[in-house]
Amino acid sequence: MSDAPRKPLIALDDALATLLAQAAPLAGTETLPTAAARGRVLAADLISPLDVPPADNSAMDGYALRAADAAAPLPVTQRIPAGQVPGALPSGEAARIFTGAQLPAGADTVVMQEFAELADDGRLRVTQPVTRGQHVRLRGEDLKVGQTVLPAGTRLDAIALGLAATAGAAQLSVARRPRVAVFSTGDELVMPGEPLPPGAIYNSNRFTLRALLEGLGCEVIDLGIVPDRLDATRAALREAAARADVILTSGGVSVGEEDHLRPAVQAEGRLDLWAIAIKPGKPFAYGRVGEAHFIGLPGNPVSSLVTFLVLVRPFLLKLQGATRLAPRGYRLAAGFDWPRPDKRREFLRVRLDEAGGLALFANQSSGVLTSAYWADGLLDNPAGQAFKAGDAVRFLPFAELLA
Ligand code: AMP
Ligand code: MG
């Protein structure tokens, strides 16, 4: 809460901890059809009401029998397609069975049809040694009745949704969507589709941020481009605060004369301007306008992307009660030397090769969005740390950060 233009650099972890301390989970849940819950955060533990699979069943097309009977020729006395309830199998008999069909009581083993022959007398001969229990999927081997299938706080991706459905869940209780009002600042910005006058550039952050927010389950209130004027910025903030839980802006948080966000937020609420010790993305603002959180990202496209991923993403997940906020990093081998590290923690745009090495995009400028498009993720390099090709470094995959 200061007008002072020069502030000491704050370590990213400290900035994140301060930010997350403000992110009280939003009240309110909604119940959605399971198929509509992708990207949302589960609000209550999902408990399995059943064993999955509900009964022992066959993993193969073949014959169900007792392993102890397999040496002798066996009459085939039942045919069990998937979905049918079989009768018990007397000892000394076999049943024709198909993948997913319930095992008859008494049978303990399935012989693949490739390893069985039907003789002229109709009896089955098993042509390979059998192991008791082979090719049988046991009742409850996936889920057990009463088991927590998905704990509250799980982000629902394709696999989690499939697992919920496995347990029979037609609906899921999820945290309500954070409403996020977004606007871009900058008189140089024009929208794609408009002609580009001299001095102008297209507004890319609006698209990146919108898509990131939607991917995190947020409802986006897009307020477009706000002119670099104090009154217009204040009016936009008031409208955003009335409609949203979070106000997210890009640009205008450095301390240039044309940066009107700072005085506008200070007039309408309160603001902390942070200089975070990261590259790209040093300027970052957090404050409040009315009940709404205010987050101001830097304007440079890579800076706004990186600060969103390392700060705003965990913030929005915490608002929804998600339990895993931090992305997983992996130790991988650098494929290049980095002899002159920055004194700030750096997030380098790197590409992963199939051998697990990391290659660097040549132009690491915070204005070059191609670097992020080319990359598979960010190399998270501690402040001031030089490294050489082959050294282990920390890699944050976009596959996880953008999920
Ligand atoms: P600022 O943070 O407003 O000083 O902007 C820093 C740089 O980012 C300037 O070169 C701006 O033109 C650029 N910039 C700001 N907002 C956007 C945006 N929405 N899309 C693309 N570039 C932007
Ligand atoms: Mg600007």
Side-chain angles (χ1 to χ4, degrees):
M1 210 119 357
S2 160
D3 290 6
R6 292 247 177 256
K7 297 196 111 192
L9 292 186
I10 308 172
L12 177 61
D13 290 341
D14 295 337
L16 182 60
T18 305
L19 190 66
L20 290 180
Q22 304 297 320
L26 298 171
T29 60
E30 62 180 310
T31 300
L32 293 178
T34 298
R38 185 171 63 89
R40 305 293 291 276
V41 178
L42 195 65
D45 290 352
L46 179 70
I47 308 294
S48 184
L50 75 168
D51 286 330
V52 178
D56 295 352
N57 69 91
S58 178
M60 294 288 172
D61 291 336
Y63 296 88
L65 44 77
R66 286 173 174 73
D69 291 343
L74 302 172
V76 179
T77 56
Q78 274 194 72
R79 186 174 185 280
I80 316 169
Q84 296 212 354
V85 181
L89 187 75
S91 67
E93 296 181 9
R96 182 77 172 114
I97 197 164
F98 299 90
T99 303
Q102 193 173 319
L103 224 64
D108 56 23
T109 298
V110 170
V111 173
M112 286 167 69
Q113 60 195 16
E114 290 84 343
F115 301 133
E117 287 168 7
L118 282 181
D120 291 342
D121 61 4
R123 288 175 179 247
L124 180 80
R125 280 175 184 74
V126 179
T127 60
Q128 289 243 332
V130 304
T131 309
R132 186 165 182 267
Q134 72 182 25
H135 308 314
V136 175
R137 304 193 285 215
L138 294 175
R139 171 177 181 160
E141 75 174 23
D142 195 353
L143 298 173
K144 296 213 168 17
V145 62
Q147 177 184 337
T148 302
V149 183
L150 301 170
T154 299
R155 271 194 85 202
L156 298 166
D157 62 9
I159 295 171
L161 293 179
L163 192 59
T166 296
Q171 298 184 320
L172 294 171
S173 169
V174 298
R176 82 163 169 86
R177 285 179 188 282
R179 285 186 291 270
V180 184
V182 196
F183 63 86
S184 321
T185 71
D187 285 347
E188 72 279 31
L189 301 176
V190 298
M191 287 301 291
E194 305 286 317
L196 194 68
I201 58 164
Y202 285 119
N203 182 351
S204 62
N205 292 345
R206 184 176 183 180
F207 294 81
T208 310
L209 294 175
R210 217 191 140 118
L212 287 167
L213 290 167
E214 284 168 356
L216 288 166
C218 299
E219 180 189 329
V220 178
I221 302 165
D222 189 342
L223 300 180
I225 301 169
V226 172
D228 280 332
R229 286 199 329 265
L230 185 61
D231 55 347
T233 311
R234 286 184 64 172
L237 288 171
R238 281 196 300 273
E239 181 187 352
R243 296 173 61 188
D245 304 300
V246 180
I247 306 167
L248 184 70
T249 66
S250 81
V253 288
S254 18
V255 287
E257 283 169 32
E258 295 298 327
D259 292 329
H260 294 294
L261 260 179
R262 184 172 56 100
V265 179
Q266 282 168 337
E268 297 294 333
R270 61 182 181 80
L271 181 73
D272 278 319
L273 254 192
W274 296 345
I276 302 178
I278 58 172
K279 187 182 176 187
K282 184 170 81 170
F284 183 90
Y286 174 80
R288 286 273 188 170
V289 179
E291 292 296 299
H293 301 276
F294 171 83
I295 295 176
L297 301 178
N300 275 307
V302 184
S303 306
S304 105
L305 171 69
V306 168
T307 46
F308 184 98
L309 295 177
V310 299
L311 290 159
V312 183
R313 178 181 181 276
F315 182 88
L316 293 170
L317 290 174
K318 188 166 176 219
L319 287 186
Q320 298 175 76
T323 36
R324 201 158 65 76
L325 304 180
R328 266 177 298 223
Y330 301 90
R331 302 300 292 179
L332 294 174
F336 57 97
D337 294 338
W338 196 245
R340 282 178 299 282
D342 199 89
K343 61 180 193 304
R344 293 175 275 164
R345 180 167 167 184
E346 283 176 286
F347 291 95
L348 305 172
R349 275 75 71 211
V350 292
R351 188 181 265 192
L352 183 63
D353 68 34
E354 293 213 350
L358 297 172
L360 182 74
F361 190 76
N363 187 341
Q364 293 284 320
S365 159
S366 61
V368 174
L369 198 51
T370 309
S371 66
Y373 170 69
W374 178 89
D376 294 316
L378 301 170
L379 189 163
D380 173 8
N381 194 47
Q385 183 160 304
F387 59 80
K388 285 196 160 21
D391 289 351
V393 291
R394 183 167 194 255
F395 176 66
L396 297 170
F398 282 145
E400 181 149 332
L401 288 166
L402 301 182

mmCIF file of all heavy atoms in Angstrom, residues 70 139 162 175 196 198 214-215 232 271 283 289 291 304 345 393:
data_model
loop_
_atom_site.group_PDB
_atom_site.id
_atom_site.type_symbol
_atom_site.label_atom_id
_atom_site.label_comp_id
_atom_site.label_asym_id
_atom_site.label_seq_id
_atom_site.Cartn_x
_atom_site.Cartn_y
_atom_site.Cartn_z
ATOM 1 N N ALA A 70 -8.495 -78.314 -14.835
ATOM 2 C CA ALA A 70 -8.022 -77.963 -16.185
ATOM 3 C C ALA A 70 -7.304 -79.094 -16.901
ATOM 4 O O ALA A 70 -7.209 -79.080 -18.139
ATOM 5 C CB ALA A 70 -7.110 -76.738 -16.102
ATOM 6 N N ARG A 139 -14.021 -58.826 -8.199
ATOM 7 C CA ARG A 139 -14.964 -57.864 -7.626
ATOM 8 C C ARG A 139 -14.211 -56.864 -6.736
ATOM 9 O O ARG A 139 -13.398 -57.245 -5.899
ATOM 10 C CB ARG A 139 -15.974 -58.632 -6.785
ATOM 11 C CG ARG A 139 -16.856 -57.731 -5.973
ATOM 12 C CD ARG A 139 -17.884 -58.534 -5.209
ATOM 13 N NE ARG A 139 -18.708 -57.598 -4.465
ATOM 14 C CZ ARG A 139 -19.910 -57.874 -3.995
ATOM 15 N NH1 ARG A 139 -20.425 -59.088 -4.160
ATOM 16 N NH2 ARG A 139 -20.590 -56.950 -3.342
ATOM 17 N N GLY A 162 -14.470 -39.848 -15.676
ATOM 18 C CA GLY A 162 -14.712 -41.253 -15.991
ATOM 19 C C GLY A 162 -14.774 -42.098 -14.732
ATOM 20 O O GLY A 162 -15.625 -42.993 -14.595
ATOM 21 N N ALA A 175 -17.555 -26.645 -6.597
ATOM 22 C CA ALA A 175 -17.488 -25.247 -6.164
ATOM 23 C C ALA A 175 -18.075 -24.361 -7.252
ATOM 24 O O ALA A 175 -17.966 -24.657 -8.436
ATOM 25 C CB ALA A 175 -16.034 -24.861 -5.906
ATOM 26 N N LEU A 196 -5.018 -1.874 -38.261
ATOM 27 C CA LEU A 196 -3.954 -1.571 -37.304
ATOM 28 C C LEU A 196 -3.334 -0.224 -37.647
ATOM 29 O O LEU A 196 -2.511 -0.117 -38.550
ATOM 30 C CB LEU A 196 -2.905 -2.678 -37.362
ATOM 31 C CG LEU A 196 -1.896 -2.722 -36.209
ATOM 32 C CD1 LEU A 196 -2.577 -3.110 -34.898
ATOM 33 C CD2 LEU A 196 -0.778 -3.701 -36.528
ATOM 34 N N PRO A 198 -0.876 3.173 -37.323
ATOM 35 C CA PRO A 198 0.519 3.293 -36.900
ATOM 36 C C PRO A 198 0.578 3.422 -35.373
ATOM 37 O O PRO A 198 -0.266 4.089 -34.774
ATOM 38 C CB PRO A 198 1.000 4.596 -37.557
ATOM 39 C CG PRO A 198 0.029 4.877 -38.646
ATOM 40 C CD PRO A 198 -1.267 4.230 -38.284
ATOM 41 N N GLU A 214 -11.095 -19.579 -18.559
ATOM 42 C CA GLU A 214 -12.124 -20.576 -18.867
ATOM 43 C C GLU A 214 -11.616 -21.977 -18.530
ATOM 44 O O GLU A 214 -12.348 -22.802 -17.996
ATOM 45 C CB GLU A 214 -12.553 -20.467 -20.336
ATOM 46 C CG GLU A 214 -13.473 -19.268 -20.535
ATOM 47 C CD GLU A 214 -13.717 -18.901 -21.988
ATOM 48 O OE1 GLU A 214 -13.118 -19.531 -22.888
ATOM 49 O OE2 GLU A 214 -14.499 -17.950 -22.214
ATOM 50 N N GLY A 215 -10.335 -22.220 -18.805
ATOM 51 C CA GLY A 215 -9.755 -23.520 -18.487
ATOM 52 C C GLY A 215 -9.743 -23.805 -16.992
ATOM 53 O O GLY A 215 -9.733 -24.966 -16.577
ATOM 54 N N ALA A 232 -11.903 6.725 -16.944
ATOM 55 C CA ALA A 232 -12.366 5.499 -17.607
ATOM 56 C C ALA A 232 -11.927 4.261 -16.830
ATOM 57 O O ALA A 232 -12.684 3.286 -16.684
ATOM 58 C CB ALA A 232 -11.812 5.439 -19.037
ATOM 59 N N LEU A 271 -4.510 -0.879 -2.876
ATOM 60 C CA LEU A 271 -3.610 -1.559 -3.805
ATOM 61 C C LEU A 271 -2.245 -1.759 -3.188
ATOM 62 O O LEU A 271 -1.701 -0.866 -2.548
ATOM 63 C CB LEU A 271 -3.445 -0.699 -5.070
ATOM 64 C CG LEU A 271 -2.551 -1.302 -6.155
ATOM 65 C CD1 LEU A 271 -3.282 -2.445 -6.842
ATOM 66 C CD2 LEU A 271 -2.150 -0.268 -7.177
ATOM 67 N N PRO A 283 6.532 -6.563 -12.528
ATOM 68 C CA PRO A 283 5.469 -5.795 -11.860
ATOM 69 C C PRO A 283 4.205 -6.630 -11.703
ATOM 70 O O PRO A 283 3.803 -7.358 -12.602
ATOM 71 C CB PRO A 283 5.247 -4.612 -12.797
ATOM 72 C CG PRO A 283 5.676 -5.077 -14.136
ATOM 73 C CD PRO A 283 6.714 -6.147 -13.931
ATOM 74 N N VAL A 289 -11.125 -3.918 -4.616
ATOM 75 C CA VAL A 289 -12.065 -2.864 -4.981
ATOM 76 C C VAL A 289 -13.417 -3.351 -4.488
ATOM 77 O O VAL A 289 -13.945 -4.347 -5.007
ATOM 78 C CB VAL A 289 -12.091 -2.617 -6.505
ATOM 79 C CG1 VAL A 289 -13.101 -1.519 -6.837
ATOM 80 C CG2 VAL A 289 -10.703 -2.226 -7.017
ATOM 81 N N GLU A 291 -15.750 -5.552 -2.590
ATOM 82 C CA GLU A 291 -15.543 -6.923 -2.120
ATOM 83 C C GLU A 291 -14.628 -7.706 -3.050
ATOM 84 O O GLU A 291 -14.230 -8.830 -2.736
ATOM 85 C CB GLU A 291 -16.895 -7.651 -2.038
ATOM 86 C CG GLU A 291 -17.819 -7.133 -0.952
ATOM 87 C CD GLU A 291 -17.230 -7.369 0.429
ATOM 88 O OE1 GLU A 291 -17.015 -8.539 0.788
ATOM 89 O OE2 GLU A 291 -16.966 -6.365 1.132
ATOM 90 N N SER A 304 2.640 -11.490 -18.757
ATOM 91 C CA SER A 304 1.283 -11.676 -18.261
ATOM 92 C C SER A 304 0.951 -13.163 -18.213
ATOM 93 O O SER A 304 0.334 -13.640 -17.253
ATOM 94 C CB SER A 304 0.311 -10.807 -19.051
ATOM 95 O OG SER A 304 -0.444 -11.508 -19.931
ATOM 96 N N ARG A 345 14.660 -14.866 -10.222
ATOM 97 C CA ARG A 345 14.287 -16.220 -10.642
ATOM 98 C C ARG A 345 13.723 -16.137 -12.059
ATOM 99 O O ARG A 345 12.863 -15.302 -12.345
ATOM 100 C CB ARG A 345 13.226 -16.733 -9.661
ATOM 101 C CG ARG A 345 12.702 -18.117 -9.927
ATOM 102 C CD ARG A 345 11.929 -18.548 -8.688
ATOM 103 N NE ARG A 345 11.129 -19.719 -8.904
ATOM 104 C CZ ARG A 345 10.321 -20.236 -7.987
ATOM 105 N NH1 ARG A 345 10.205 -19.671 -6.800
ATOM 106 N NH2 ARG A 345 9.628 -21.318 -8.246
ATOM 107 N N VAL A 393 17.825 -29.459 -13.990
ATOM 108 C CA VAL A 393 17.107 -28.205 -13.760
ATOM 109 C C VAL A 393 15.629 -28.554 -13.546
ATOM 110 O O VAL A 393 15.204 -29.683 -13.772
ATOM 111 C CB VAL A 393 17.252 -27.244 -14.969
ATOM 112 C CG1 VAL A 393 18.686 -26.744 -15.083
ATOM 113 C CG2 VAL A 393 16.807 -27.923 -16.261
#
